[in-house]
Amino acid sequence: MLIKDLSFLKREVDFSYIERSFENKVLKMVSNSKFLVIGGAGSIGSAVVKEIFCRNPLKLHLVDINENNLAEVVRDLRSSYGYIEGEFKTFCIDVGSVEYDVFFESDGNYDYVLNLSAMKHVRSEKDQYTLMRMVDINILNTIKTIDQCAQKKVKKYFCVSTDKASNPSNLMGASKRIMELFLFSMSDKIDISTARFANVAYSDGSLLHGFIERINKKQPLVSPKAIKRFFISQRESGEICLMSCLFGENMDIFFPKLDSKNDLFLLEDVAKNFLIKNNLKPLIVSSEDEARRAISNTESGFWPLFLSNSDTTGEKLFEEFYSDSDHVDNKSFLNLGVIKNRANENKKNLKIFLDGITNLKTQKVWNKKDIVDLFFKVIPHFSYFDNGKYLDEKM
């Protein structure tokens, strides 16, 4: 059984972003409220759902397109907490579909709507088709669901962002930054808040999740060199989202107070320490071929680890939660910082972006440059360079 905690990063196991002084407030607010969680069966979504469910809400609805994950969420909740007095239901529907529109129109009786659906991989921006779907999920679905919530007089709308939205260097991060700008531009219709946080350890598709998959399948590990990242647990991600949803003022962006000196880890060290924590000795190899050959001989306890050069499009050396130009409040919460934002007064570029995407989809013909050019309309100082090499071309 592989060890799936963050102790090898010297993280505090019992650390919580819901501070003791807020726990009673959180309990009271949740137990008297009705929630809809979009993307509620994903790694972060299910963590948020757990935080809500265990506090006995009046109503908790989950929407997700993954029926297997939805089934697992239900089994997990029933096995851990049992039942709640309020209404709990799951719906296997796509938030971008007409079925969702009919569902929301027929009910829509929620105090809080949390949108956790997202395309979060940099590797998803390599072609014009997947990139357009990223625009759909990360931006267009957000705009649509905000409008629907405003019409139904929902009290608060929360949508998850990412640390990659701060000074973005890839299209995924930029899509989330554009999403944030649309959130701010629509904040006169409904109160909104969001959260940026780090790599969610062991979440589906994450680096550490990949390490577990590789070891279970008896395959070598690979990690980029000279790349640093922050890490939080899935439980912590749920706590941060719920805190932002309940206590964030209009247009607030919450983020964990992680220190770049002590909490920003080299991924190559993460890989080595993960192996050591699981009683395996890192065997550093010099190529993918050598790594594949070496995996056939692991009886001595060594496990091949290839440290590759960071040469793919959109790779950022380190992540950050805010830029120098952001107004940051570090006093309101002990473990959470808040970026305070103002409404985006220049809606012209957002309209150009939206009209441009609508045009491309209507014509049913576009290339990657067409979409990237629209990204630059909204983020003129976007530090993106496509060198033609992507993560799917590496092990």
Side-chain angles (χ1 to χ4, degrees):
M1 175 73 74
L2 294 172
I3 298 171
K4 291 177 58 176
D5 62 30
L6 293 180
S7 59
F8 67 92
L9 295 179
K10 299 178 182 176
R11 291 288 316 279
E12 295 181 52
V13 177
D14 296 322
F15 188 83
S16 176
Y17 284 101
I18 298 179
E19 300 159 24
R20 289 184 179 179
S21 60
F22 282 89
E23 182 53 57
N24 287 336
K25 295 178 188 175
V26 173
L27 180 61
K28 186 175 181 180
M29 292 175 75
V30 171
S31 63
N32 288 294
S33 299
K34 302 169 185 176
F35 295 85
L36 169 65
V37 182
I38 301 167
S43 299
I44 300 170
S46 60
V48 174
V49 166
K50 282 185 179 181
E51 295 298 325
I52 297 171
F53 189 92
C54 71
R55 293 175 174 88
N56 200 30
L58 294 176
K59 177 179 176 180
L60 176 57
H61 285 175
L62 279 61
V63 167
D64 203 286
I65 59 172
N66 192 317
E67 61 179 346
N68 291 331
N69 282 5
L70 274 175
E72 177 55 30
V73 169
V74 174
R75 291 168 182 149
D76 189 16
L77 292 173
R78 297 296 187 220
S79 301
S80 297
Y81 306 109
Y83 298 81
I84 59 173
E85 295 172 11
E87 180 179 288
F88 173 67
K89 290 183 178 179
T90 67
F91 303 88
C92 188
I93 47 180
D94 182 350
V95 70
S97 68
V98 65
E99 291 82 8
Y100 175 84
D101 296 341
V102 174
F103 155 77
F104 195 86
E105 181 58 33
S106 68
D107 190 335
N109 181 20
Y110 304 105
D111 299 301
Y112 300 97
V113 172
L114 298 92
N115 183 0
L116 285 304
S117 65
M119 286 189 72
K120 62 180 183 178
H121 280 288
V122 175
R123 67 179 67 237
S124 296
E125 60 187 54
K126 64 184 182 301
D127 65 85
Q128 66 264 43
Y129 314 109
T130 314
L131 177 57
M132 185 61 88
R133 184 165 181 265
M134 181 185 287
V135 171
D136 268 346
I137 293 173
N138 291 359
I139 302 173
L140 302 187
N141 283 354
T142 301
I143 296 169
K144 182 186 86 164
T145 50
I146 290 176
D147 272 332
Q148 291 170 327
C149 289
Q151 290 169 21
K152 289 288 188 176
K153 309 295 183 186
V154 172
K155 183 190 299 185
K156 181 72 173 295
Y157 181 93
F158 170 88
C159 193
V160 70
S161 187
T162 172
D163 52 3
K164 291 178 174 62
S166 178
N167 295 318
S169 62
N170 50 60
L171 297 172
M172 192 285 287
S175 74
K176 281 296 190 177
R177 178 56 185 159
I178 293 170
M179 180 209 76
E180 291 178 352
L181 295 175
F182 272 107
L183 287 176
F184 305 151
S185 74
M186 301 175 77
S187 60
D188 56 340
K189 297 181 178 183
I190 182 174
D191 281 357
I192 64 94
S193 65
T194 184
R196 294 175 180 171
F197 43 68
N199 284 22
V200 181
Y202 306 105
S203 61
D204 288 349
S206 67
L207 182 79
L208 288 170
H209 176 265
F211 287 170
I212 289 174
E213 290 291 301
R214 301 288 70 72
I215 291 175
N216 284 338
K217 294 176 180 178
K218 202 173 181 185
Q219 296 170 341
L221 267 57
V222 61
S223 174
K225 290 190 287 189
I227 298 292
K228 292 183 176 182
R229 293 291 182 265
F230 292 109
F231 287 86
I232 59 172
S233 70
Q234 291 183 47
R235 176 182 56 79
E236 289 168 347
S237 74
E239 292 172 343
I240 295 169
C241 290
L242 187 59
M243 286 292 290
S244 176
C245 178
L246 297 180
F247 300 108
E249 296 180 349
N250 198 15
M251 294 183 285
D252 278 355
I253 301 175
F254 278 42
F255 63 90
K257 287 183 185 175
L258 296 176
D259 179 60
S260 58
K261 188 175 181 180
N262 298 315
D263 300 314
L264 202 54
F265 297 96
L266 278 167
L267 294 186
E268 55 200 279
D269 290 341
V270 171
K272 293 173 188 175
N273 291 334
F274 176 81
L275 287 172
I276 292 168
K277 181 71 177 181
N278 283 285
N279 299 313
L280 297 168
K281 292 174 277 190
L283 174 64
I284 307 302
V285 297
S286 58
S287 70
E288 290 188 0
D289 285 339
E290 185 182 353
R292 283 186 286 266
R293 287 194 302 270
I295 199 65
S296 61
N297 184 22
T298 56
E299 287 80 5
S300 58
F302 284 95
W303 203 273
L305 170 61
F306 174 47
L307 302 178
S308 66
N309 292 321
S310 306
D311 56 358
T312 53
T313 297
E315 195 70 84
K316 197 173 180 180
L317 293 180
F318 63 92
E319 299 294 3
E320 53 200 331
F321 296 114
Y322 54 87
S323 65
D324 293 338
S325 61
D326 288 325
H327 175 62
V328 178
D329 167 19
N330 277 316
K331 296 181 179 179
S332 295
F333 303 93
L334 182 63
N335 298 315
L336 291 166
V338 184
I339 304 169
K340 310 297 288 187
N341 293 282
R342 292 176 293 183
N344 181 17
E345 297 176 0
N346 185 8
K347 296 184 179 182
K348 181 181 177 182
N349 289 341
L350 293 177
K351 186 177 186 306
I352 290 172
F353 176 87
L354 205 51
D355 289 346
I357 292 294
T358 302
N359 254 351
L360 295 176
K361 296 183 78 164
T362 301
Q363 295 168 10
K364 296 185 178 179
V365 177
W366 65 83
N367 58 42
K368 186 174 176 180
K369 185 178 182 301
D370 294 329
I371 304 175
V372 173
D373 286 347
L374 289 171
F375 274 59
F376 274 96
K377 292 283 186 184
V378 185
I379 313 174
H381 303 297
F382 181 23
S383 59
Y384 174 75
F385 173 72
D386 190 339
N387 66 13
K389 187 168 184 178
Y390 308 101
L391 283 169
D392 278 357
E393 297 170 35
K394 303 176 72 172
M395 192 167 74

